[in-house]
């Protein structure tokens, strides 16, 4: 509990029940079978690993990644695993990244949008991006403790998850694009949940700022929209019109099906029907439901 108490405002918010499906794999499988979902990407949920001490983080990361790999092995064909990495301890991150991908067979990594307030484009994290690009694996960036929580601005009405998370994702993506990381590692693939946050709506503003001000473009040779090809999104927008905008901004090849399971903000049926309701071809819908994810994760099914 002492480690949890140090975990920042996200962990100290109003307590909510932990969904049984976070740890009950059999319950997960039953739910997915009921919804006719064949295979699931399995990752560690928030707040991942950066809330523990630098000393304890490696042990916890090994336990988590070993368990994910074991679930994938035990329930063959039902799950694909992606690794959790504790950025609070960067030397270990580089070691565990290789072990998770090469030895455990995991297909990508999941990280938070910041590390105790430090942005992912800071120089100390550059070796991670370089190695991920060399391994050619996707990186899931999930929002965590969004800006403003420390002042209590996100605590009312559940706005931490409803507003804070998508804008935390947007802020992180903007920094990655403007810092030149996608330019230095052109094959980098970043997955942004919740429909890419507000990026589809704000990409024009970012491009215009890039062209208007020297200090916006000082680290990237091209406007942010050039790097949309490096960003993959899910379809959790809840309404059709925002998803149509995301479709036009990112393109169908960079969209995959997601559910935010097992959290109860919407249902799996909602998200299935949202994709089915798009005015696009059946071939494009199939890309979203399965083909893009198989390609991104290099699955041979």
């Amino acid at each position: 509990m002492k480690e949890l108490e140090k975990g920042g405002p996200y962990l100290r918010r109003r307590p909510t029940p932990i969904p049984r499906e976070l740890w009950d794999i059999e319950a997960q499988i039953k739910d997915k079978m009921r919804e006719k979902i064949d295979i699931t990407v399995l990752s560690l949920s928030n707040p991942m690993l950066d809330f523990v001490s630098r000393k304890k983080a490696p042990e916890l990361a090994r336990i988590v990644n070993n368990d994910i790999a074991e679930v994938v092995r035990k329930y063959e064909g039902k799950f694909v695993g992606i690794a959790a990495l504790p950025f609070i301890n960067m030397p270990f991150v580089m070691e565990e990244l290789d072990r998770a991908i090469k030895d455990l067979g995991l297909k990508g990594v999941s990280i938070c949008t910041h590390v105790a307030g430090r942005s992912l484009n800071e120089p100390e994290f550059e070796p991670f991006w370089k190695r991920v690009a060399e391994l050619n694996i996707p990186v899931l960036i999930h929002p965590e403790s969004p800006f403003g929580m420390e002042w209590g601005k996100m605590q009312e009405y559940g706005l931490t998850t409803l507003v804070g998370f998508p804008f935390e994702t947007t802020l992180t993506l903007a920094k990655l694009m403007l810092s030149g990381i996608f330019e230095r590692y052109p094959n980098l693939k970043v997955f942004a949940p919740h429909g890419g946050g507000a990026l589809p709506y704000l990409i024009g503003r970012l491009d215009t700022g890039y062209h208007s001000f020297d200090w916006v473009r000082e680290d990237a040779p091209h406007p942010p929209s050039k790097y949309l090809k490096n960003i993959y999104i899910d379809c959790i927008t809840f309404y059709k019109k925002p998803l149509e905008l995301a479709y036009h901004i990112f393109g169908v090849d960079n969209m995959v099906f997601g559910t935010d399971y097992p959290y109860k903000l919407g249902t799996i049926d909602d998200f299935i029907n949202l994709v089915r309701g798009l005015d696009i071809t059946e071939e494009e819908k199939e890309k979203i439901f399965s083909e893009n994810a198989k390609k991104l994760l290099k699955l041979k099914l």
Side-chain angles (χ1 to χ4, degrees), residues 152-182:
K153 299 295 186 181
M154 294 283 180
Q155 305 293 2
E156 294 179 291
Y157 312 117
L159 295 179
T160 296
T161 53
L162 300 180
V163 173
F165 275 12
F167 277 95
E168 177 69 19
T169 297
T170 308
L171 179 64
T172 299
L173 294 175
K175 287 186 174 184
L176 291 178
M177 290 188 288
L178 290 168
S179 66
I181 283 178
F182 291 127

CSV table of all heavy atoms in Angstrom, one decimal, residues 152-182:
chain,number,residue,atom,x,y,z
A,152,GLY,N,-6.4,19.3,-8.9
A,152,GLY,CA,-7.8,18.9,-8.6
A,152,GLY,C,-8.7,19.3,-9.7
A,152,GLY,O,-9.9,19.2,-9.6
A,153,LYS,N,-8.2,19.7,-10.9
A,153,LYS,CA,-9.1,20.1,-12.0
A,153,LYS,C,-9.8,19.0,-12.7
A,153,LYS,O,-10.8,19.3,-13.5
A,153,LYS,CB,-8.2,20.9,-13.0
A,153,LYS,CG,-7.6,22.2,-12.5
A,153,LYS,CD,-8.6,23.2,-12.0
A,153,LYS,CE,-7.9,24.5,-11.6
A,153,LYS,NZ,-8.8,25.5,-11.1
A,154,MET,N,-9.3,17.8,-12.5
A,154,MET,CA,-10.0,16.7,-13.3
A,154,MET,C,-10.8,15.8,-12.4
A,154,MET,O,-11.3,14.8,-12.8
A,154,MET,CB,-8.8,15.8,-13.9
A,154,MET,CG,-8.1,16.5,-15.0
A,154,MET,SD,-9.0,16.6,-16.5
A,154,MET,CE,-7.8,17.4,-17.5
A,155,GLN,N,-10.9,16.1,-11.1
A,155,GLN,CA,-11.5,15.2,-10.2
A,155,GLN,C,-13.1,15.1,-10.2
A,155,GLN,O,-13.7,14.1,-10.0
A,155,GLN,CB,-11.1,15.5,-8.7
A,155,GLN,CG,-9.6,15.6,-8.5
A,155,GLN,CD,-8.9,14.3,-8.6
A,155,GLN,OE1,-9.5,13.3,-8.9
A,155,GLN,NE2,-7.6,14.2,-8.4
A,156,GLU,N,-13.7,16.2,-10.6
A,156,GLU,CA,-15.1,16.2,-10.7
A,156,GLU,C,-15.7,15.5,-11.9
A,156,GLU,O,-15.1,15.5,-13.0
A,156,GLU,CB,-15.6,17.7,-10.7
A,156,GLU,CG,-15.3,18.5,-9.4
A,156,GLU,CD,-15.8,19.9,-9.6
A,156,GLU,OE1,-15.2,20.7,-10.4
A,156,GLU,OE2,-16.7,20.3,-8.8
A,157,TYR,N,-16.8,14.9,-11.7
A,157,TYR,CA,-17.6,14.3,-12.7
A,157,TYR,C,-16.9,13.2,-13.6
A,157,TYR,O,-17.3,13.0,-14.7
A,157,TYR,CB,-18.1,15.4,-13.7
A,157,TYR,CG,-18.7,16.6,-12.9
A,157,TYR,CD1,-18.2,17.9,-13.0
A,157,TYR,CD2,-19.9,16.4,-12.1
A,157,TYR,CE1,-18.7,18.9,-12.4
A,157,TYR,CE2,-20.4,17.5,-11.4
A,157,TYR,CZ,-19.8,18.8,-11.6
A,157,TYR,OH,-20.4,19.8,-10.9
A,158,GLY,N,-15.9,12.6,-13.0
A,158,GLY,CA,-15.2,11.6,-13.8
A,158,GLY,C,-14.4,12.1,-15.0
A,158,GLY,O,-14.1,11.4,-16.0
A,159,LEU,N,-14.0,13.4,-14.9
A,159,LEU,CA,-13.4,14.0,-16.1
A,159,LEU,C,-11.9,13.6,-16.3
A,159,LEU,O,-11.4,13.8,-17.4
A,159,LEU,CB,-13.4,15.6,-16.0
A,159,LEU,CG,-14.8,16.2,-16.0
A,159,LEU,CD1,-14.7,17.7,-15.8
A,159,LEU,CD2,-15.5,15.9,-17.3
A,160,THR,N,-11.4,12.9,-15.3
A,160,THR,CA,-10.0,12.3,-15.5
A,160,THR,C,-10.0,11.4,-16.7
A,160,THR,O,-9.2,11.5,-17.6
A,160,THR,CB,-9.6,11.6,-14.3
A,160,THR,OG1,-9.4,12.5,-13.2
A,160,THR,CG2,-8.2,10.9,-14.5
A,161,THR,N,-11.0,10.5,-16.8
A,161,THR,CA,-11.0,9.6,-17.9
A,161,THR,C,-11.8,10.1,-19.1
A,161,THR,O,-11.4,9.8,-20.3
A,161,THR,CB,-11.7,8.2,-17.5
A,161,THR,OG1,-12.9,8.5,-16.9
A,161,THR,CG2,-10.8,7.5,-16.5
A,162,LEU,N,-12.8,10.9,-18.9
A,162,LEU,CA,-13.6,11.4,-20.0
A,162,LEU,C,-13.0,12.5,-20.8
A,162,LEU,O,-13.1,12.5,-22.0
A,162,LEU,CB,-15.0,11.9,-19.4
A,162,LEU,CG,-15.8,10.9,-18.7
A,162,LEU,CD1,-17.1,11.5,-18.2
A,162,LEU,CD2,-16.1,9.7,-19.5
A,163,VAL,N,-12.2,13.4,-20.2
A,163,VAL,CA,-11.6,14.5,-20.9
A,163,VAL,C,-10.1,14.4,-20.7
A,163,VAL,O,-9.3,14.5,-21.7
A,163,VAL,CB,-12.1,15.8,-20.3
A,163,VAL,CG1,-11.3,17.0,-20.9
A,163,VAL,CG2,-13.6,16.0,-20.6
A,164,GLY,N,-9.6,14.1,-19.5
A,164,GLY,CA,-8.1,14.1,-19.3
A,164,GLY,C,-7.4,13.1,-20.1
A,164,GLY,O,-6.3,13.4,-20.7
A,165,PHE,N,-7.9,11.9,-20.2
A,165,PHE,CA,-7.1,10.8,-20.9
A,165,PHE,C,-7.0,11.2,-22.4
A,165,PHE,O,-5.8,11.1,-22.9
A,165,PHE,CB,-7.8,9.5,-20.7
A,165,PHE,CG,-7.4,8.8,-19.5
A,165,PHE,CD1,-6.7,9.4,-18.5
A,165,PHE,CD2,-7.8,7.4,-19.3
A,165,PHE,CE1,-6.3,8.7,-17.3
A,165,PHE,CE2,-7.4,6.7,-18.1
A,165,PHE,CZ,-6.7,7.4,-17.1
A,166,PRO,N,-8.0,11.5,-23.1
A,166,PRO,CA,-7.8,11.8,-24.5
A,166,PRO,C,-6.9,13.0,-24.8
A,166,PRO,O,-6.1,13.0,-25.7
A,166,PRO,CB,-9.3,12.1,-25.0
A,166,PRO,CG,-10.2,11.4,-24.1
A,166,PRO,CD,-9.5,11.5,-22.7
A,167,PHE,N,-6.9,14.0,-23.9
A,167,PHE,CA,-6.1,15.2,-24.1
A,167,PHE,C,-4.6,14.9,-23.7
A,167,PHE,O,-3.7,15.4,-24.3
A,167,PHE,CB,-6.6,16.4,-23.4
A,167,PHE,CG,-7.7,17.1,-24.2
A,167,PHE,CD1,-9.0,16.8,-24.0
A,167,PHE,CD2,-7.3,18.0,-25.2
A,167,PHE,CE1,-10.0,17.5,-24.8
A,167,PHE,CE2,-8.2,18.6,-26.0
A,167,PHE,CZ,-9.6,18.4,-25.8
A,168,GLU,N,-4.5,14.0,-22.7
A,168,GLU,CA,-3.1,13.5,-22.4
A,168,GLU,C,-2.5,12.8,-23.6
A,168,GLU,O,-1.3,13.0,-23.9
A,168,GLU,CB,-3.2,12.6,-21.2
A,168,GLU,CG,-1.8,12.0,-20.7
A,168,GLU,CD,-0.9,13.1,-20.1
A,168,GLU,OE1,-1.3,14.2,-19.8
A,168,GLU,OE2,0.3,12.8,-20.1
A,169,THR,N,-3.3,11.9,-24.2
A,169,THR,CA,-2.8,11.2,-25.4
A,169,THR,C,-2.4,12.2,-26.5
A,169,THR,O,-1.4,12.1,-27.2
A,169,THR,CB,-3.9,10.3,-25.9
A,169,THR,OG1,-4.2,9.3,-25.0
A,169,THR,CG2,-3.5,9.6,-27.3
A,170,THR,N,-3.3,13.3,-26.7
A,170,THR,CA,-3.0,14.3,-27.7
A,170,THR,C,-1.7,15.0,-27.5
A,170,THR,O,-0.9,15.2,-28.4
A,170,THR,CB,-4.2,15.3,-27.8
A,170,THR,OG1,-5.4,14.6,-27.9
A,170,THR,CG2,-4.1,16.2,-29.0
A,171,LEU,N,-1.5,15.4,-26.2
A,171,LEU,CA,-0.3,16.1,-25.9
A,171,LEU,C,0.9,15.3,-26.2
A,171,LEU,O,1.9,15.8,-26.7
A,171,LEU,CB,-0.4,16.5,-24.4
A,171,LEU,CG,0.8,17.3,-23.8
A,171,LEU,CD1,1.0,18.6,-24.5
A,171,LEU,CD2,0.7,17.4,-22.3
A,172,THR,N,0.9,14.0,-25.8
A,172,THR,CA,2.0,13.1,-26.0
A,172,THR,C,2.3,12.9,-27.5
A,172,THR,O,3.5,13.0,-27.9
A,172,THR,CB,1.8,11.8,-25.3
A,172,THR,OG1,1.6,12.0,-23.9
A,172,THR,CG2,2.9,10.8,-25.6
A,173,LEU,N,1.3,12.7,-28.3
A,173,LEU,CA,1.5,12.5,-29.7
A,173,LEU,C,2.1,13.8,-30.4
A,173,LEU,O,2.9,13.7,-31.2
A,173,LEU,CB,0.2,12.1,-30.4
A,173,LEU,CG,-0.4,10.8,-30.0
A,173,LEU,CD1,-1.8,10.6,-30.7
A,173,LEU,CD2,0.5,9.7,-30.4
A,174,ALA,N,1.6,14.9,-30.0
A,174,ALA,CA,2.1,16.2,-30.5
A,174,ALA,C,3.5,16.4,-30.2
A,174,ALA,O,4.3,16.8,-31.1
A,174,ALA,CB,1.3,17.4,-29.9
A,175,LYS,N,4.0,16.0,-29.0
A,175,LYS,CA,5.4,16.1,-28.7
A,175,LYS,C,6.2,15.2,-29.5
A,175,LYS,O,7.4,15.5,-29.9
A,175,LYS,CB,5.6,15.9,-27.2
A,175,LYS,CG,5.1,17.1,-26.3
A,175,LYS,CD,5.4,16.9,-24.8
A,175,LYS,CE,5.0,18.1,-24.0
A,175,LYS,NZ,5.5,17.9,-22.6
A,176,LEU,N,5.7,14.0,-29.7
A,176,LEU,CA,6.5,13.0,-30.4
A,176,LEU,C,6.7,13.5,-31.9
A,176,LEU,O,7.7,13.3,-32.5
A,176,LEU,CB,5.8,11.6,-30.4
A,176,LEU,CG,5.8,10.9,-29.1
A,176,LEU,CD1,5.1,9.6,-29.2
A,176,LEU,CD2,7.2,10.6,-28.6
A,177,MET,N,5.6,14.0,-32.5
A,177,MET,CA,5.7,14.5,-33.8
A,177,MET,C,6.6,15.7,-34.0
A,177,MET,O,7.4,15.8,-34.9
A,177,MET,CB,4.3,14.9,-34.3
A,177,MET,CG,3.4,13.6,-34.6
A,177,MET,SD,1.8,14.0,-35.4
A,177,MET,CE,1.0,14.9,-34.0
A,178,LEU,N,6.5,16.7,-33.0
A,178,LEU,CA,7.3,17.9,-33.1
A,178,LEU,C,8.7,17.8,-32.7
A,178,LEU,O,9.5,18.6,-33.0
A,178,LEU,CB,6.6,19.0,-32.3
A,178,LEU,CG,5.2,19.5,-32.9
A,178,LEU,CD1,4.5,20.4,-32.0
A,178,LEU,CD2,5.5,20.3,-34.3
A,179,SER,N,9.0,16.7,-31.9
A,179,SER,CA,10.4,16.6,-31.4
A,179,SER,C,11.3,15.9,-32.4
A,179,SER,O,12.5,15.8,-32.2
A,179,SER,CB,10.4,15.7,-30.1
A,179,SER,OG,9.9,14.4,-30.4
A,180,GLY,N,10.7,15.4,-33.5
A,180,GLY,CA,11.5,14.7,-34.6
A,180,GLY,C,11.7,13.2,-34.4
A,180,GLY,O,12.5,12.6,-35.1
A,181,ILE,N,11.1,12.6,-33.4
A,181,ILE,CA,11.3,11.2,-33.1
A,181,ILE,C,10.9,10.4,-34.3
A,181,ILE,O,11.6,9.4,-34.8
A,181,ILE,CB,10.6,10.8,-31.9
A,181,ILE,CG1,11.4,11.2,-30.6
A,181,ILE,CG2,10.4,9.3,-31.8
A,181,ILE,CD1,10.8,10.9,-29.3
A,182,PHE,N,9.7,10.7,-34.9
A,182,PHE,CA,9.3,9.9,-36.1
A,182,PHE,C,10.2,10.2,-37.3
A,182,PHE,O,10.2,9.3,-38.2
A,182,PHE,CB,7.8,10.3,-36.4
A,182,PHE,CG,6.8,9.8,-35.4
A,182,PHE,CD1,5.9,10.7,-34.8
A,182,PHE,CD2,6.8,8.5,-35.0
A,182,PHE,CE1,5.0,10.3,-33.9
A,182,PHE,CE2,5.9,8.1,-34.0
A,182,PHE,CZ,5.0,9.0,-33.5
